[in-house]
Amino acid sequence: MRVLLKKILDCDPDAAWRAIRSPAVFRQVSSPLLAVESLEPHGFPTMWEPGDHPATFRALGLVPMGTQIIRLNEITERPDGVRILRDTGRGVSGALSAVTLWDHRMAIAPDQAGTGKTLYRDQLIFKAGLGTLALWPSFWAFWQLRMLRLEQLAPTWRYDLGVDMVAAPGAPDAAPSAPAGGEIDGD
């Protein structure tokens, strides 16, 4: 089954690209329906890198859903400039292990109208055997709520802490400095 969404987000594409690679943003857009905790030795990194990232999920922050491997790959060298973050992870325990195919792609591109905003496309393809049809309404509804949260948060994605280049003190056009912590900072 497939869930497909497409929206213009009110932020520039670089800010959107940083945001979708941020575990903090992932947790924000999943909340309050899902609480996600890292199983990595030092917790989630500030910015996800390609590779495997084990995590536990709890519905409404209370009901254990199981463990999932978030398996990320970045596609950034396309001739059209579209950047894609792809998760082909899998559930390894609990209810999450019922999903036998997980292919989630988030694509970031400049708005074709030249607004400086971001064209965001989000596609989930999943299979869960005989349960696929039963799960589709839940995934569809969750993806709608995720998109609402992305739309709400996007205008705050101006600078990524610890990642944006900061000019030397006193130089013109220096990005504002920000405290460490890994959150996407908003103005």
Side-chain angles (χ1 to χ4, degrees), residues 80-95:
D80 59 3
V82 175
R83 292 174 277 184
I84 299 171
L85 182 65
R86 183 177 184 193
D87 174 12
T88 56
R90 60 185 175 80
V92 294
S93 72

